[in-house]
Amino acid sequence: MRDRYFSADPAQRSEARALYESVKHLPLVCPHGHVDPRLFAVPDYQFGSPVDLLIIPDHYIFRMLYSQGISLDALGIPRLPGAVTPADSAGRDHREIWRLVCEHWHVFRATPTGIWLRDELADVFGITLKLNGQNADAIYDAIAEKLGSDEFRPRALYERFNIEVLATTDAATDTLEQHQAIRESGWGGRVIPTFRPDALAHIALPGWREQIELLREVSGEPVHEYASFIRALEGRREFFKSLGATATDHAALTAYTNRLSAGEAGAIFQRALRGEASANDARQFGGHMLMEMARMSGEDGLVMQLHIGSYRNHNPWIQAHYGSDMGADIPIRSEFTANLKPLLDEFGNRRDMTLVLFNLDETTYSRELAPLAGHYPLLRLGPPWWFFDSWLGMTRFLDAVVETAGIANLAGFNDDTRAYPSIPTRHDVWRRVCADWLAGQLIRGFIDEEDACAMMRALAYDLAKQTYRLDG
Amino acid sequence: MRDRYFSADPAQRSEARALYESVKHLPLVCPHGHVDPRLFAVPDYQFGSPVDLLIIPDHYIFRMLYSQGISLDALGIPRLPGAVTPADSAGRDHREIWRLVCEHWHVFRATPTGIWLRDELADVFGITLKLNGQNADAIYDAIAEKLGSDEFRPRALYERFNIEVLATTDAATDTLEQHQAIRESGWGGRVIPTFRPDALAHIALPGWREQIELLREVSGEPVHEYASFIRALEGRREFFKSLGATATDHAALTAYTNRLSAGEAGAIFQRALRGEASANDARQFGGHMLMEMARMSGEDGLVMQLHIGSYRNHNPWIQAHYGSDMGADIPIRSEFTANLKPLLDEFGNRRDMTLVLFNLDETTYSRELAPLAGHYPLLRLGPPWWFFDSWLGMTRFLDAVVETAGIANLAGFNDDTRAYPSIPTRHDVWRRVCADWLAGQLIRGFIDEEDACAMMRALAYDLAKQTYRLDG
Amino acid sequence: MRDRYFSADPAQRSEARALYESVKHLPLVCPHGHVDPRLFAVPDYQFGSPVDLLIIPDHYIFRMLYSQGISLDALGIPRLPGAVTPADSAGRDHREIWRLVCEHWHVFRATPTGIWLRDELADVFGITLKLNGQNADAIYDAIAEKLGSDEFRPRALYERFNIEVLATTDAATDTLEQHQAIRESGWGGRVIPTFRPDALAHIALPGWREQIELLREVSGEPVHEYASFIRALEGRREFFKSLGATATDHAALTAYTNRLSAGEAGAIFQRALRGEASANDARQFGGHMLMEMARMSGEDGLVMQLHIGSYRNHNPWIQAHYGSDMGADIPIRSEFTANLKPLLDEFGNRRDMTLVLFNLDETTYSRELAPLAGHYPLLRLGPPWWFFDSWLGMTRFLDAVVETAGIANLAGFNDDTRAYPSIPTRHDVWRRVCADWLAGQLIRGFIDEEDACAMMRALAYDLAKQTYRLDG
């Protein structure tokens, strides 16, 4: 449907179409996401089955099916080593899983997941049937056939998708071998890493000491006290930069920031090494590490991203049986005005640094984030994250922030996905939302044609490129 | 007005009309409300005056008039025994009260109260005049005449309203005599009780010990310690089930849940019996009782409802002079992600149980409730409650939750009213909201015709029936 | 553009136009704002340059430009005495500043600031060019020429703007000499003061003791203990009333209220005089002063206004170099249901008093403010404040509060501005928002023509006049 998703009003719809078409062919800038770099390191990488590609890695899909009483086993989600998969699910046939999903596809009516898969099947795979139990097998075969063809190699899709740059997200201790392989392969695509040190910054996470051990190995620093820990991180950032990174990424439950003295930070670090750190130690250290990361960004020029407000692994039964990141992350209320103040006191007036904020509490958009971004040179607002990467979520975001922060304080779009073939669809939805929103502004006389076109291009392309310093 | 409330856009309006008409004649499923079962127990029950029926029991009406400086005395609201009603209001003539209300009816412009009464007068009473001081007497007479006729007996209205099932809400200690009388009368309507143990679960409520005394009497259990308290509740639930109950209802200021050991719970129970329980005891015991109620639901199959976030009886002067539930309940901020976690840890993965959540803080819709319901098999989201049972309130609810939780995790509609003759109007508004919302989704291409029709029927009828296990 | 900002739907647009035109010529009632009374005290007052008038005093403008990396120095914002202005900015030419602003005017696309200035230039100055670097000089000259003419004297504009009454906001210790001069000048305009005692009520503010000293001087009271402090405030209120004041204004970070005994209040007052008050003392005293101010309003009849939720001077670097109120005030989360309870317990049922509430946390609109205002006779809701004085902000406000509180519990519009020539534009935007919102209600059948017209007039004119007791 050519004008899909645009307003019902014919005049607005026609303006929206014109705006959308003005940016439809602009390249995709993908400054934040979770695609596996191996897809590009191996020249002839092949995706597995349709279920391997579309179902098993997509927690948007299996979380909703799970809420309706379908077990993760039945969806082919592997249990953790040592956990026993129920006999009737073990080694389940992928075609059978696909059929189960299609039979229940109606639960995704009016959801972004439903829209993404429909548009992806149509635009990338050329399949326009609506998923259901009857046509499940035929669609499975059609997808599988495509996946076997040369046009469906990741590098070929990169060209076809018109991607200009794609950033992955990588642990601070990652050796970035895949990224090195991509560089060395001589392939022309631009796939760059992003430095994510969460596993090292949050001392209360299980496995923190193993992560420190890893850091020791990859950095060559002793990391038995705070000073060399910091030096090791600085070194890793340089290494990431050498492979093209322009940004870092940080996640925290709250936006709490707080500068510790080197002595205080060092003492907590020692307690953490001994496994004796308290919950408050973890909070203080986490808040301090955000300050340190900002300081390093001020020095090395990496753009800092901060994702706030996800209560990870909320369901202990799921975590015990299937592991982390299994669709059971639930948002909590967030606060920025007080929590970010120490960081802003130190870095907020810097015009040569950028901190991009993301969160899952929409009430902060108009109350805190837009007023902060509309004042501090440091800040930009990331696009709506996770559950809010949706038509209405994006519309609410624009409604809530643009009047106070303008669009010049936004960071454009991130697809933030691990589902590589859905990337064009996700950008398409964002571009359509922006076109429709700007058309509404235009037709009501808030902005004129010239403004609308310039804003359209900025939201679709320029802001992301400029915010993440990708023009270099 | 045939197309009332639908979008101004002609294309959307026409789709909305078609969707609405597809469900207009479906029976009304009323799984949660506060109609007095006596209306059905007495075969020829007669409503009193128009003021008895429409004004005195309706705190939506008198709260707003009170906010504009009209005393509750002038509206015929009785003072508590012992309180003196001002001389100029005592025994006020109902016709005079009606005139006062009509003279001020303009304060209800653009409110759900205004819309409900207008539609109810038109659709149930055949009165299409707009209330004002001039026509107050004529309308009073017209309503009174209708109320005297046989068609306005509650049982006759039950048929005319096309009600399929109507649940009342009843104290856990209620002997359900009215419900027994309905059963024994041989009348064909389905009016069922709902188990509400709040007066027993909240040990800080005034009169708690009297409630325990009542429980002792009706249960035959000693209830002088925690174990028999629990046994007594289990017994009452069985009794409610024997009279058709399929659900329980619970209200709490916050969603705090927390499992106590039997010893801890028992110790608090003893302190409460001695009148020595602290505020923290009350909080812990209340949080524990929610866990216990969930456990019992897992055993006896009653659907659990939880209403969170109303600060009851906020105005002490009103409470002292007129009693509780007099329009002075004010919402507070709510939190579910952390508060419900203990309950979800224990029961969240149960596919054979249902917990329906309601609350008065719209910010939780997209931030917490939809993400929780879109993951945990246990959860369903109740329709917008109280102040949000309104056109815009419902629209915001659908906008906020459907993208993340789909509609399959919703509980359909509850009218939640004590105003029996307003029931068709309330369902009508919900059905119109859903029709208009789905028409918007359809015309913009998010869903197709088949989806829209199926979702329309589910929202109007199926989801309520299925969630509350009313197909049995 | 005649129909600017109205809905795209032709039918709604045409109703909106008719409603708007029905109130377009009503006088402007301005019960709360920050215009300098000197503008009216001096008969032939002249505004300075376009930059003096439009840029330097407007923190909406310079905050956004600052967020984009333009220094306040470059915008002509003076540094505090003692601070050194960078050489390249000192004494910067106003024409050059204007050009800089125009070159960056695109950052105000789709913001209220952009809309206000555009409409103000067109409607007040007759300039319809769109600001940019090319036409900056020509526009500067055109504005400067107008500012030099007699029609641009504040008193002439008062007539042209059709202002009925204009309230300023004045420190409790102000001698109101400008107001006295206006009275004595025999000029026919109605410009009245508003009593704002914040600098005296918040004992933790820097300079509080100097303020007490000032109070001592202007009141003639000793003010060395709490009793004469209170007497002095009562006296000042009387003085303000004698010059036409009908209202007071109070700002606080939170809505915390709390009645102290005279002994407790007195003890804190003494500690504050000695510079020994704690943060908790400040909180308790602030909460108590709100109770006292309400008590005084109950006695002297001044309408009380309360502005909650702005974290003032969030950016310490800006405050240190440029002073307070420099665009770095950031909203925080607010709470009213619990915080206001002590005040409402004491005054909430008073029908002869009015408290107008404002805040910067939109989540409170539907959750707390509308339910409170729809019950307590004391309360009215002020229009959307600060960042929310915008098209979408106003629309969200009406959507969130009218269903629960009606419009009879609203306070109409405040322009709340220090930018005198923007006053007609700000009222125009409010009137257009209301017209469009009511047209939407009308065309969907929630209200009829008669309702829409009456509500339009009330929102545009009557409610402000009545709430602030300006008919006297």
Side-chain angles (χ1 to χ4, degrees), chain B residues 194-195 237 245-250 297 300-305 353-356 466-469:
Chain B
T194 301
F195 179 79
R237 293 171 66 109
T246 68
T248 69
D249 185 30
H250 310 270
S297 277
D300 63 22
L302 291 177
V303 171
M304 183 171 176
Q305 299 175 92
M353 285 175 62
T354 301
L355 171 58
V356 185
Q466 175 208 356
T467 302
Y468 286 90
R469 306 186 176 185

Short mmCIF file of all heavy atoms in Angstrom, two decimals, chain B residues 194-195 237 245-250 297 300-305 353-356 466-469:
data_model
loop_
_atom_site.label_atom_id
_atom_site.label_comp_id
_atom_site.label_asym_id
_atom_site.label_seq_id
_atom_site.Cartn_x
_atom_site.Cartn_y
_atom_site.Cartn_z
N THR B 194 -19.28 -11.46 43.09
CA THR B 194 -17.81 -11.39 43.01
C THR B 194 -17.28 -11.26 44.43
O THR B 194 -17.81 -10.47 45.22
CB THR B 194 -17.37 -10.19 42.17
OG1 THR B 194 -17.93 -10.31 40.86
CG2 THR B 194 -15.84 -10.11 42.06
N PHE B 195 -16.26 -11.99 44.74
CA PHE B 195 -15.70 -12.09 46.09
C PHE B 195 -14.74 -10.93 46.35
O PHE B 195 -13.69 -10.84 45.73
CB PHE B 195 -14.97 -13.43 46.19
CG PHE B 195 -14.30 -13.69 47.51
CD1 PHE B 195 -15.04 -14.12 48.60
CD2 PHE B 195 -12.92 -13.53 47.65
CE1 PHE B 195 -14.41 -14.40 49.82
CE2 PHE B 195 -12.29 -13.80 48.86
CZ PHE B 195 -13.04 -14.23 49.95
N ARG B 237 -14.74 -18.33 49.53
CA ARG B 237 -14.56 -18.38 48.08
C ARG B 237 -15.35 -19.54 47.48
O ARG B 237 -16.02 -19.39 46.45
CB ARG B 237 -13.07 -18.51 47.73
CG ARG B 237 -12.26 -17.27 48.09
CD ARG B 237 -10.75 -17.51 47.95
NE ARG B 237 -10.39 -17.72 46.56
CZ ARG B 237 -9.70 -16.85 45.80
NH1 ARG B 237 -9.27 -15.72 46.33
NH2 ARG B 237 -9.43 -17.13 44.56
N ALA B 245 -19.99 -17.30 41.21
CA ALA B 245 -18.86 -16.38 41.08
C ALA B 245 -17.76 -16.99 40.22
O ALA B 245 -17.47 -18.19 40.34
CB ALA B 245 -18.30 -16.04 42.45
N THR B 246 -17.16 -16.17 39.38
CA THR B 246 -16.00 -16.61 38.61
C THR B 246 -14.79 -15.74 38.90
O THR B 246 -13.73 -15.96 38.33
CB THR B 246 -16.27 -16.56 37.08
OG1 THR B 246 -16.40 -15.19 36.68
CG2 THR B 246 -17.53 -17.32 36.72
N ALA B 247 -14.97 -14.74 39.79
CA ALA B 247 -13.87 -13.80 39.99
C ALA B 247 -13.85 -13.23 41.40
O ALA B 247 -14.86 -13.29 42.13
CB ALA B 247 -13.97 -12.64 38.99
N THR B 248 -12.69 -12.71 41.75
CA THR B 248 -12.53 -11.97 43.00
C THR B 248 -12.11 -10.55 42.65
O THR B 248 -11.69 -10.29 41.53
CB THR B 248 -11.44 -12.59 43.90
OG1 THR B 248 -10.16 -12.37 43.28
CG2 THR B 248 -11.66 -14.08 44.09
N ASP B 249 -12.21 -9.65 43.60
CA ASP B 249 -11.80 -8.26 43.36
C ASP B 249 -11.05 -7.74 44.58
O ASP B 249 -11.48 -7.98 45.72
CB ASP B 249 -13.02 -7.39 43.07
CG ASP B 249 -12.63 -5.98 42.69
OD1 ASP B 249 -11.55 -5.80 42.10
OD2 ASP B 249 -13.42 -5.06 42.98
N HIS B 250 -9.97 -7.03 44.32
CA HIS B 250 -9.12 -6.53 45.39
C HIS B 250 -8.72 -5.11 45.08
O HIS B 250 -8.39 -4.78 43.94
CB HIS B 250 -7.86 -7.41 45.49
CG HIS B 250 -8.20 -8.86 45.55
ND1 HIS B 250 -8.43 -9.53 46.72
CD2 HIS B 250 -8.42 -9.76 44.56
CE1 HIS B 250 -8.77 -10.80 46.46
NE2 HIS B 250 -8.76 -10.96 45.14
N SER B 297 -6.49 -18.36 43.98
CA SER B 297 -6.98 -18.34 42.60
C SER B 297 -6.35 -19.46 41.79
O SER B 297 -7.02 -20.08 40.95
CB SER B 297 -6.68 -16.99 41.93
OG SER B 297 -7.66 -16.05 42.26
N ASP B 300 -8.50 -22.51 43.15
CA ASP B 300 -9.95 -22.64 42.89
C ASP B 300 -10.39 -22.07 41.55
O ASP B 300 -11.56 -22.16 41.18
CB ASP B 300 -10.77 -22.03 44.04
CG ASP B 300 -10.56 -20.53 44.24
OD1 ASP B 300 -10.12 -19.85 43.30
OD2 ASP B 300 -10.84 -20.04 45.35
N GLY B 301 -9.46 -21.45 40.82
CA GLY B 301 -9.80 -21.02 39.46
C GLY B 301 -10.54 -19.70 39.36
O GLY B 301 -10.95 -19.31 38.26
N LEU B 302 -10.73 -19.00 40.48
CA LEU B 302 -11.38 -17.69 40.37
C LEU B 302 -10.40 -16.69 39.76
O LEU B 302 -9.23 -16.63 40.14
CB LEU B 302 -11.84 -17.19 41.75
CG LEU B 302 -13.00 -17.97 42.39
CD1 LEU B 302 -13.31 -17.42 43.80
CD2 LEU B 302 -14.26 -17.90 41.52
N VAL B 303 -10.88 -15.91 38.81
CA VAL B 303 -10.07 -14.86 38.19
C VAL B 303 -9.87 -13.75 39.21
O VAL B 303 -10.80 -13.36 39.89
CB VAL B 303 -10.81 -14.32 36.94
CG1 VAL B 303 -10.11 -13.09 36.38
CG2 VAL B 303 -10.91 -15.43 35.89
N MET B 304 -8.63 -13.27 39.31
CA MET B 304 -8.30 -12.26 40.32
C MET B 304 -8.25 -10.87 39.66
O MET B 304 -7.61 -10.70 38.63
CB MET B 304 -6.94 -12.61 40.92
CG MET B 304 -6.47 -11.70 42.02
SD MET B 304 -4.96 -12.39 42.81
CE MET B 304 -4.56 -11.07 43.97
N GLN B 305 -8.94 -9.91 40.28
CA GLN B 305 -8.88 -8.52 39.79
C GLN B 305 -8.19 -7.65 40.83
O GLN B 305 -8.44 -7.83 42.03
CB GLN B 305 -10.30 -7.97 39.57
CG GLN B 305 -11.12 -8.71 38.55
CD GLN B 305 -12.55 -8.17 38.49
OE1 GLN B 305 -12.84 -7.29 37.71
NE2 GLN B 305 -13.42 -8.70 39.33
N MET B 353 -4.04 -19.39 35.20
CA MET B 353 -4.57 -18.39 36.13
C MET B 353 -4.66 -17.06 35.39
O MET B 353 -3.94 -16.83 34.43
CB MET B 353 -3.58 -18.17 37.29
CG MET B 353 -3.52 -19.24 38.32
SD MET B 353 -2.18 -18.85 39.52
CE MET B 353 -2.74 -17.30 40.23
N THR B 354 -5.49 -16.16 35.93
CA THR B 354 -5.59 -14.83 35.33
C THR B 354 -5.66 -13.76 36.42
O THR B 354 -6.46 -13.88 37.36
CB THR B 354 -6.85 -14.73 34.44
OG1 THR B 354 -6.76 -15.72 33.42
CG2 THR B 354 -6.95 -13.35 33.79
N LEU B 355 -4.82 -12.76 36.26
CA LEU B 355 -4.87 -11.58 37.12
C LEU B 355 -5.15 -10.37 36.22
O LEU B 355 -4.39 -10.10 35.29
CB LEU B 355 -3.54 -11.40 37.85
CG LEU B 355 -3.34 -10.10 38.63
CD1 LEU B 355 -4.40 -9.88 39.70
CD2 LEU B 355 -1.95 -10.09 39.28
N VAL B 356 -6.25 -9.66 36.50
CA VAL B 356 -6.63 -8.50 35.70
C VAL B 356 -6.25 -7.24 36.48
O VAL B 356 -6.68 -7.06 37.62
CB VAL B 356 -8.14 -8.51 35.40
CG1 VAL B 356 -8.49 -7.36 34.46
CG2 VAL B 356 -8.58 -9.84 34.80
N GLN B 466 -14.18 -14.45 27.85
CA GLN B 466 -13.11 -15.43 27.98
C GLN B 466 -12.24 -15.12 29.21
O GLN B 466 -11.90 -16.02 29.98
CB GLN B 466 -12.29 -15.36 26.68
CG GLN B 466 -11.06 -16.20 26.65
CD GLN B 466 -9.99 -15.60 25.72
OE1 GLN B 466 -10.21 -14.59 25.05
NE2 GLN B 466 -8.83 -16.23 25.71
N THR B 467 -11.88 -13.87 29.41
CA THR B 467 -11.02 -13.51 30.53
C THR B 467 -11.67 -13.91 31.85
O THR B 467 -11.00 -14.43 32.75
CB THR B 467 -10.77 -11.98 30.54
OG1 THR B 467 -10.18 -11.61 29.30
CG2 THR B 467 -9.87 -11.59 31.70
N TYR B 468 -12.96 -13.65 31.97
CA TYR B 468 -13.65 -13.92 33.23
C TYR B 468 -14.26 -15.32 33.29
O TYR B 468 -15.06 -15.59 34.17
CB TYR B 468 -14.71 -12.84 33.48
CG TYR B 468 -14.09 -11.53 33.90
CD1 TYR B 468 -13.72 -10.57 32.96
CD2 TYR B 468 -13.83 -11.26 35.24
CE1 TYR B 468 -13.13 -9.38 33.33
CE2 TYR B 468 -13.24 -10.07 35.64
CZ TYR B 468 -12.89 -9.14 34.68
OH TYR B 468 -12.30 -7.97 35.07
N ARG B 469 -13.91 -16.15 32.33
CA ARG B 469 -14.36 -17.56 32.32
C ARG B 469 -15.87 -17.66 32.42
O ARG B 469 -16.43 -18.40 33.26
CB ARG B 469 -13.70 -18.32 33.48
CG ARG B 469 -12.18 -18.15 33.43
CD ARG B 469 -11.47 -18.99 34.45
NE ARG B 469 -10.01 -18.82 34.25
CZ ARG B 469 -9.09 -19.49 34.91
NH1 ARG B 469 -9.45 -20.39 35.82
NH2 ARG B 469 -7.83 -19.28 34.69
#
